Amino acid sequence: AAYPTDDGWLRAYPHLVAEDGCQAVLALRKSGQHSLYLPKAAIDRYQGNGALLPLLGLDYVLMGHNCLLLHSSVVEFSGKTLLFSGDSGVGKSTQADLWQQHMGATVRNGDRCALSVRGETFWGGGCPYAGSSGIYDPGEAPLAGIVFLEQGPENHIRPLTGREAFTMLFAQSLANPWDADYTDKLCDLISRLIQSVPIYKM
């Protein structure tokens, strides 16, 4: 849940409530000076194992630097980044492992890619949040392409363009539809990404 404030937004986490009713909230300020407030009575719940990372609004912070988070496994091969994206369980980690085993590629992250644009070039790399994969490599390289995975009876691949590519990228990005400015920036980055990088469905 998110609520507008005079200085930005208040993102609440209703599933993180202490016994006394105190709730975890993240104050997202226009100045960029964000604050995370945690229930003191339940502070031990957030210690270690990256438990705080999903609460820190990393997507919001990165968007201020022309960077979006895409749900994907991140592979670096021959100095380029290749992403495998799609719904949970579709085979992103499997594809990354195959590239590592058979091509000598490096898996940078098993669940999230930090996609940034500098000049006209998109860069892809690991980020501090990696879901259950436990792979948090901070390296990055220019983005060579994105492959959306689906399971089927036959193996085939085709390029995606226009609305289909946009829809799939938006669905796998961390979006904040309650914030119009954030959503506008996300849509702009996705549109630029489609024009700059080959995108496929396999």
Side-chain angles (χ1 to χ4, degrees):
Y3 308 93
T5 68
D6 292 338
D7 191 30
W9 291 89
L10 192 68
R11 181 186 285 177
Y13 301 102
H15 61 291
L16 299 174
V17 181
E19 290 182 4
D20 62 2
C22 188
Q23 186 176 91
V25 295
L26 176 66
L28 297 165
R29 299 188 178 92
K30 295 175 183 176
S31 65
Q33 299 296 315
H34 312 308
S35 299
L36 176 64
Y37 300 95
L38 299 172
K40 185 176 181 180
I43 194 68
D44 290 342
R45 292 172 59 184
Y46 308 100
Q47 302 301 315
N49 299 322
L52 278 176
L53 287 170
L55 310 181
L56 294 178
L58 184 60
D59 53 328
Y60 204 92
V61 173
L62 291 177
M63 187 58 69
H65 300 278
N66 290 321
C67 181
L68 64 91
L69 289 178
L70 186 69
H71 183 214
S72 61
S73 58
V74 184
V75 173
E76 185 176 328
F77 178 70
S78 293
K80 299 284 187 178
T81 295
L82 179 63
L83 306 181
F84 295 100
S85 187
D87 296 334
S88 296
V90 76
K92 297 183 296 297
S93 296
T94 299
Q95 283 293 328
D97 290 343
L98 288 170
W99 275 75
Q100 185 176 48
Q101 292 171 18
H102 300 286
M103 303 296 291
T106 300
V107 180
R108 294 292 184 198
N109 194 292
D111 193 67
R112 290 284 189 276
C113 178
L115 268 176
S116 61
V117 60
R118 300 195 285 278
E120 298 299 318
T121 303
F122 276 87
W123 290 69
C127 75
Y129 182 74
S132 61
S133 75
I135 302 172
Y136 303 85
D137 192 316
E140 66 171 357
L143 184 60
I146 302 172
V147 180
F148 284 94
L149 301 175
E150 286 188 1
Q151 296 180 353
E154 298 178 356
N155 291 326
H156 59 88
I157 189 167
R158 65 180 176 86
L160 295 177
T161 58
R163 179 167 37 182
E164 191 175 16
F166 186 94
T167 300
M168 297 186 84
L169 285 164
F170 190 87
Q172 297 301 330
S173 299
L174 287 178
N176 294 307
W178 36 267
D179 187 331
D181 289 338
Y182 180 100
T183 303
D184 287 346
K185 290 178 182 177
L186 176 61
C187 290
D188 178 64
L189 281 175
I190 291 175
S191 296
R192 293 172 64 184
L193 183 60
I194 292 170
Q195 296 172 20
S196 304
V197 177
I199 301 168
Y200 303 92
K201 182 176 178 182
M202 184 169 76

